[in-house]
Amino acid sequence: MGSKNKLKRFRENETFSNVIQPTRKELLQGFTLKENWHNQFKNNNPIVLELGCGKGEYTIDLARKNPTINYVGVDLKGARFWRGAKTALEENLTNVVFVRTQIELIHLLFGKNEISEIWITFPDPQIKYTRTKHRLTNPEFLKKYHHIIKPEGIIHLKTDSEFMHGYTLGLLTGEGHEIDYAHHNIYNNPHAPIEVTSTQTFYENQYLEKGKPITYIKFKLHY
C-alpha cells in the first residue's frame, strides 16, 4: 500500500464514528470507555474482542451474524482496519467498533470481566525465542485476558502456524487452563465448530487454496 493511500485512510479513520484511537497517555490516565462500553454501543449486550483484527473481516462477519452482540476489533495498523470500519458504516452495523492501540495495553481499554469472548485470529507467531514476549498467547498476555474476560469466558485461537498452535497448547496444559477443543487441521474435521469454519479471512482463503492446514484451539483461563 502506498504512503498516499495510508495517509488517506488515516484521515478517513479520524472521521469514522466507529473508530477509536486513544493515545497511550489517555489509556494510562484512565480511558473514559473502560467499564463504560455500553455508552459507546448504547446497550448492555455482550462484548466480543478480535485481537490483531487486520482488515476486520472476522469482526465484520461475526457482527453480521450476531446483531445482539457487540464486537471490538483491536489492531495497531489503522490503514488495515480502515476497510472493516468503512464496511461497517456502509452496512449500518452499529454493533462494531475498531480500536487502534497496542494489544499489550488491552487491560487499560476494558475493565474486569467486561469482555465475554476473545478471538485471536492469525497472529504473528513470533517464532524467534527473543520474540516470546510478543506472542499473543504468552503468559503475560493470558493474565491480561483473564482480567478483562468474564469467568468461564471463551478464548479462540485460529492460526496457520503449527508452531503457535503447539506453543499455546503446551502453555495452556502446563499452566492448568481448560482446553475445550483443539485440532491441528480444522477444515479436515467434520465435527469442527461452525463459527470457526464459516468465517474466513482473505489470507485464510489463500492458505486453504495452497492446502495449508488451519489450526484451532478453544480454551478458558483458570488461575
Side-chain angles (χ1 to χ4, degrees):
M1 186 189 304
S3 58
K4 285 186 178 179
N5 271 341
K6 279 189 176 181
L7 290 172
K8 182 183 176 184
R9 291 183 176 189
F10 287 147
R11 286 194 297 268
E12 283 196 43
N13 278 347
E14 290 175 1
T15 70
F16 289 167
S17 58
N18 60 355
V19 170
I20 299 169
Q21 304 184 87
T23 64
R24 190 182 187 92
K25 184 179 179 181
E26 286 173 335
L27 293 178
L28 291 170
Q29 288 182 344
F31 185 49
T32 55
L33 286 176
K34 184 178 180 180
E35 299 180 345
N36 294 299
W37 279 89
H38 59 277
N39 291 333
Q40 172 69 32
F41 289 108
K42 305 295 189 290
N43 61 56
N44 290 308
N45 293 341
I47 299 173
V48 174
L49 294 187
E50 184 191 3
L51 301 178
C53 66
K55 295 180 181 179
E57 295 153 298
Y58 234 88
T59 299
I60 291 295
D61 199 48
L62 290 172
R64 288 185 185 121
K65 294 172 180 174
N66 304 290
T68 59
I69 297 176
N70 298 321
Y71 290 88
V72 180
V74 179
D75 206 299
L76 187 58
K77 297 184 178 179
R80 285 187 185 174
F81 68 59
W82 165 88
R83 179 64 268 174
K86 192 173 180 67
T87 297
L89 291 173
E90 290 170 348
E91 297 185 15
N92 196 31
L93 295 172
T94 57
N95 61 330
V96 180
V97 165
F98 290 92
V99 181
R100 183 172 185 252
T101 193
Q102 295 166 300
I103 294 173
E104 53 262 38
L105 302 177
I106 200 75
H107 59 297
L108 302 177
L109 275 175
F110 303 97
K112 188 171 176 62
N113 303 337
E114 197 169 12
I115 299 303
S116 295
E117 197 170 330
I118 296 174
W119 285 84
I120 306 170
T121 50
F122 301 94
D124 186 332
Q126 307 287 359
I127 292 174
K128 290 184 178 180
Y129 178 76
T130 54
R131 302 290 295 175
T132 301
K133 68 177 183 179
H134 297 288
R135 292 176 197 154
L136 292 189
T137 56
N138 77 29
E140 292 306 310
F141 275 112
L142 293 184
K143 287 174 185 174
K144 290 178 180 181
Y145 305 155
H146 180 256
H147 177 76
I148 65 174
I149 202 166
K150 294 181 183 298
E152 300 301 310
I154 294 169
I155 301 178
H156 310 263
L157 171 67
K158 194 175 182 185
T159 174
D160 63 303
S161 169
E162 293 180 11
F163 169 82
M164 186 71 168
H165 181 77
Y167 166 80
T168 304
L169 272 181
L171 182 63
L172 294 172
T173 302
E175 291 196 347
H177 301 301
E178 179 182 344
I179 299 171
D180 289 345
Y181 185 95
H183 202 275
H184 65 281
N185 191 347
I186 196 70
Y187 289 100
N188 199 30
N189 177 11
H191 305 295
I194 188 67
E195 70 269 21
V196 180
T197 56
S198 63
T199 298
Q200 296 171 8
T201 68
F202 171 78
Y203 291 109
E204 184 176 355
N205 279 315
Q206 288 190 331
Y207 300 146
L208 291 171
E209 286 175 8
K210 294 175 182 176
K212 192 170 188 179
I214 305 298
T215 71
Y216 171 71
I217 308 173
K218 177 182 180 181
F219 62 96
K220 298 172 186 171
L221 298 174
H222 297 299
Y223 285 94

